[in-house]
Amino acid sequence: MSVYSHAGDQFAISTTAQNADLDQSGFEALTYTNVANIGSLGEYGISTNALTYDTWNTVVDQKAKGRSNAGDPPLEVARLDSDAGQQAMIVAGAPNYYDAHAYKVTKQDGHIDYLRGLVGGPVSPSGRNEDFDIHVFTLMLVQAPLPVLASV
């Protein structure tokens, strides 16, 4: 069994709006633009609300699954104004831009996670004299991540 770091992973955006759920062939048919200088990508995946209801005749709450969220991971990049991927993220993050986009996360072993959602930002946290000049985008995912396992 091998374990991997995120060194060498890639994140890419499809610059064509994708406002409906996609299956694997739909994601694979798209053209993607890599985003340079990724520092980190936050947590994504299905998180389901737990609903509880207390009744008079039980000691333990009744539970059910509620709505699910695919995630709102922050994407941190070291700013590079000449990078086409960062430019595409800035366009998609504009406050008056309402279309979703597809994203492709490629891991170093060939595993791929396809994502789809809106972009917020960027925000620029500034910092001290030895901090990098970064942008932080928020991905507002509207579809469950679609993993494609690496070929063995």
Side-chain angles (χ1 to χ4, degrees):
M1 178 176 142
S2 295
V3 294
Y4 300 94
S5 71
H6 290 291
D9 289 0
Q10 295 179 343
F11 178 89
I13 179 175
S14 173
T15 56
T16 306
Q18 300 298 318
N19 290 314
D21 282 355
L22 297 167
D23 60 11
Q24 183 175 339
S25 62
F27 279 111
E28 290 173 347
L30 300 173
T31 301
Y32 295 87
T33 302
N34 279 337
V35 177
N37 296 343
I38 303 293
S40 68
L41 174 61
E43 176 180 282
Y44 57 85
I46 297 299
S47 174
T48 303
N49 292 332
L51 308 178
T52 60
Y53 189 74
D54 57 323
T55 60
W56 291 0
N57 63 326
T58 61
V59 176
V60 176
D61 288 345
Q62 301 302 301
K63 293 189 179 180
K65 289 183 177 182
R67 301 283 302 160
S68 295
N69 186 331
D72 301 296
L75 177 71
E76 181 183 295
V77 302
R79 186 177 61 81
L80 181 60
D81 292 339
S82 63
D83 178 63
Q86 288 190 23
Q87 291 172 6
M89 293 294 291
I90 289 169
V91 169
N96 59 347
Y97 188 90
Y98 302 104
D99 289 323
H101 286 268
Y103 310 98
K104 181 179 180 181
V105 179
T106 306
K107 309 284 180 125
Q108 59 179 263
D109 67 345
H111 175 102
I112 295 172
D113 283 336
Y114 288 111
L115 311 171
R116 192 178 66 80
L118 303 164
V119 176
V123 295
S124 300
S126 296
R128 298 185 55 83
N129 61 334
E130 289 192 348
D131 292 336
F132 282 92
D133 183 2
I134 64 173
H135 281 182
V136 180
F137 299 92
T138 300
L139 302 180
M140 297 170 265
L141 302 180
V142 296
Q143 178 178 344
L146 177 67
V148 178
L149 302 181
S151 300
V152 180

